[in-house]
Amino acid sequence: MIRVISVDDHPLLREGLAALINSQTDMQLVGEASDGHEALEVFRTHLPDITLMDLQMPETSGIDAMNSIRAEFPDARIIVLTTYAGDVQVSRALKAGAKGYLLKGSLRKELLETIRAVHAGHKRVSSELAVALAEHATDETLSPREVEVLRLVAGGNANKEIAGQLFLTEETVKSHVRNILAKLGANDRTHAVAIGVKRGIIDL
């Protein structure tokens, strides 16, 4: 019997997952958590074979929860279930130790086989996400400072305002913006923000 816990802040989704998982003869939902902080407590209590983890939750994010769980239980097998399809978010989750990454829209079809595959020791990323990862595999990544600048650009700040907030010269901010446009292949600031959101580099 594959013992599963689900971590998601939407009760209806957890209900749906429970019904789907408990309808199988080889798996059982043994616990639920509504945020990342609760996730560690529920994991400690049940020591599940598989953890289904949402990424965006109040208080503690899915990535932080994964880091906490894996710091105590390095062999934890975690599958991310999210609405976020950006390649940067997928990479971040895999680096944090996720063994699977699925979009909530493709759940019914792929979830059960992914649980079985990850339980058997395999990694699973849905095909559309694997394509996005491959597409951007050789892209130059934004530095932490460039991500910060892009976030402030997304907030509608002009270069002068960004310079003031980050204690930089306006010229340095302009240089960061130029680098961001080049690395993302963007035509202008608005386009750069759109790409940044789509790929999961920043959230709006």
Side-chain angles (χ1 to χ4, degrees):
M1 186 68 77
I2 304 170
R3 301 170 73 258
V4 182
I5 65 170
S6 74
V7 183
D8 197 289
D9 59 329
H10 292 102
L12 279 177
L13 186 94
R14 293 201 310 273
E15 233 172 79
L17 288 173
L20 181 63
I21 289 163
N22 291 332
S23 70
Q24 304 301 299
T25 53
D26 61 341
M27 57 183 78
Q28 180 189 8
L29 191 84
V30 294
E32 296 182 12
S34 59
D35 63 46
H37 178 67
E38 234 179 72
L40 182 56
E41 298 304 320
V42 174
F43 193 101
R44 282 182 186 139
T45 304
H46 296 285
L47 299 175
D49 301 307
I50 298 288
T51 300
L52 305 177
M53 179 75 70
D54 188 17
L55 280 188
Q56 300 288 346
M57 292 178 288
E59 307 297 329
T60 309
S61 75
I63 297 283
D64 291 338
M66 277 197 280
N67 288 331
S68 302
I69 289 170
R70 294 192 74 255
E72 266 186 60
F73 306 95
D75 297 330
R77 291 176 178 170
I78 300 170
I79 298 168
V80 168
L81 300 184
T82 183
T83 52
Y84 295 89
D87 66 289
V88 173
Q89 253 152 345
V90 181
S91 297
R92 213 177 282 146
L94 296 176
K95 278 179 192 150
K99 302 291 184 194
Y101 195 108
L102 290 179
L103 294 177
K104 288 179 178 176
S106 60
L107 279 195
R108 194 162 283 282
K109 191 174 59 181
E110 293 183 68
L111 179 64
L112 299 173
E113 58 189 59
T114 299
I115 289 173
R116 292 183 182 108
V118 170
H119 184 249
H122 306 295
K123 274 192 176 182
R124 270 289 171 89
V125 174
S126 57
S127 50
E128 61 192 291
L129 297 174
V131 169
L133 279 174
E135 201 180 305
H136 296 289
T138 57
D139 289 4
E140 218 182 328
T141 53
L142 299 190
S143 70
R145 177 60 95 191
E146 286 163 354
V147 172
E148 220 173 346
V149 169
L150 183 58
R151 204 171 278 127
L152 289 170
V153 168
N157 296 282
N159 288 349
K160 192 173 184 178
E161 293 166 316
I162 295 170
Q165 288 181 56
L166 299 181
F167 305 105
L168 301 171
T169 67
E170 206 172 333
E171 206 43 59
T172 304
V173 173
K174 281 180 186 167
S175 164
H176 283 316
V177 171
R178 276 196 299 273
N179 288 342
I180 291 165
L181 297 184
K183 287 181 179 181
L184 297 182
N187 305 324
D188 53 35
R189 294 160 71 99
T190 309
H191 190 206
V193 168
I195 293 169
V197 171
K198 185 180 177 206
R199 291 188 53 200
I201 299 167
I202 57 167
D203 298 322
L204 279 185

